[in-house]
Amino acid sequence: MQTLLAWLTGRAVARCDHDGALRLAHRFFWKTGAAPFVRGEILLTAGRYPEAEAVLHGGLSGAQTPVDGFMTLEALGNVLMDTGRYEEAERCFESVRDLRPGRSVARRAMAELLLRQGKEPERALELAGRALAVYRGSLLERLTCPERLGETLAVHAWALALHGSTSEAIEQIEQALQGRVRKNRPAFAHVRFLAGMTMKSLGRSTEAAEHFRGGRETDPTGRWGTLCAAALGESGSSGEEAGPM
């Protein structure tokens, strides 16, 4: 039953129905130890960072199982990354990686954290490549989170672009945009954001703007749509006619 309830909540998130997901989470999880993580993750996906941070901090202090603890810490790391608190975010991701070395997400997030800052490109590429290998080697992740492949490929593509591997980066972006990730709107918007950053790194500003617009349209009120809109705004673009980045 708990698995079914989690699936229903996850489907609401996948549709970008953040308020609906929060209602389901309150109804189904409010008495469980997973409640802070579930609510905090939804608030993160909605781009409601102050609320998400407050809920996740509370969840860390009251986590009842190791799984609740590391997933809450992972979500908190993403809040901190998006709000520019990079050192704190890195500590969260490193802790999760050490606690769960067989899980890909923290490595992918650490790579994206470095890429957003434009530093340690070699380390970013190594982390992204390792995240991809861990994901492909995990039957659990492949069965339960198929959309994760697209997100991980896209982070790896961005790192490749910074190393001048143009054809390989473009090929990975094309792969990232296919498959099950298209059925999860926040994850697909994440891939569009990463695709935009990859194309921007390659100097392909028109294609970058197209990806950012696509991400904004896919997740118009959520985390990734907001970041895509901000990326368009950095180039002075607005509306449907974004200019070169």
Side-chain angles (χ1 to χ4, degrees):
M1 178 60 70
Q2 194 71 19
T3 300
L4 174 61
L5 300 179
W7 182 84
L8 290 171
T9 305
R11 293 317 302 158
V13 173
R15 297 191 303 270
C16 292
D17 180 9
H18 307 118
D19 290 336
L22 286 168
R23 287 193 296 270
L24 288 169
H26 178 73
R27 180 177 180 183
F28 297 147
F29 294 97
W30 71 278
K31 287 186 177 181
T32 74
F37 160 70
V38 173
R39 181 172 172 78
E41 179 78 9
I42 295 167
L43 290 166
L44 164 65
T45 305
R48 293 162 59 175
Y49 299 117
E51 293 173 82
E53 183 174 356
V55 169
L56 292 166
H57 271 302
L60 282 177
S61 61
Q64 297 178 12
T65 70
V67 172
D68 294 339
F70 84 76
M71 292 186 74
T72 300
L73 191 62
E74 197 170 76
L76 180 60
N78 278 286
V79 171
L80 296 168
M81 175 167 63
D82 283 8
T83 53
R85 291 143 71 186
Y86 298 132
E87 291 183 4
E88 295 173 75
E90 184 169 8
R91 287 196 292 271
C92 288
F93 296 140
E94 286 179 341
S95 295
V96 175
R97 179 200 58 191
D98 294 342
L99 288 167
R100 286 293 187 274
R103 180 176 164 85
S104 69
V105 180
R107 287 183 176 84
R108 186 193 75 207
M110 289 169 66
E112 183 170 348
L113 179 68
L114 293 173
L115 292 167
R116 290 200 200 185
Q117 296 174 84
K119 71 177 198 178
E120 297 185 63
E122 293 289 345
R123 183 175 176 226
L125 182 62
E126 188 277 328
L127 285 165
R130 182 59 184 155
L132 194 55
V134 169
Y135 175 85
R136 285 173 166 160
S138 171
L139 178 61
L140 179 62
E141 286 198 59
R142 286 186 281 115
L143 288 176
T144 60
C145 302
E147 71 280 354
R148 198 170 286 170
L149 175 60
E151 295 175 286
T152 310
L153 280 167
V155 171
H156 194 236
W158 186 2
L160 286 168
L162 292 178
H163 282 74
S165 301
T166 301
S167 59
E168 191 176 356
I170 293 171
E171 180 181 350
Q172 289 209 346
I173 287 298
E174 290 173 352
Q175 293 177 30
L177 291 165
Q178 303 304 315
R180 293 289 296 278
V181 74
R182 301 180 73 90
K183 297 182 180 295
N184 185 306
R185 290 175 63 185
F188 191 55
H190 184 194
V191 172
R192 297 302 296 266
F193 169 76
L194 294 166
M197 297 306 294
T198 300
M199 294 304 169
K200 184 177 179 179
S201 297
L202 294 173
R204 302 170 73 142
S205 49
T206 299
E207 291 165 85
E210 289 174 358
H211 284 299
F212 291 137
R213 282 198 297 271
R216 183 188 61 190
E217 292 161 5
T218 300
D219 183 26
T221 63
R223 174 190 183 190
W224 297 110
T226 300
L227 287 170
C228 284
L232 285 167
E234 286 176 2
S235 65
S237 305
S238 61
E240 293 302 310
E241 298 300 326
M245 296 184 70

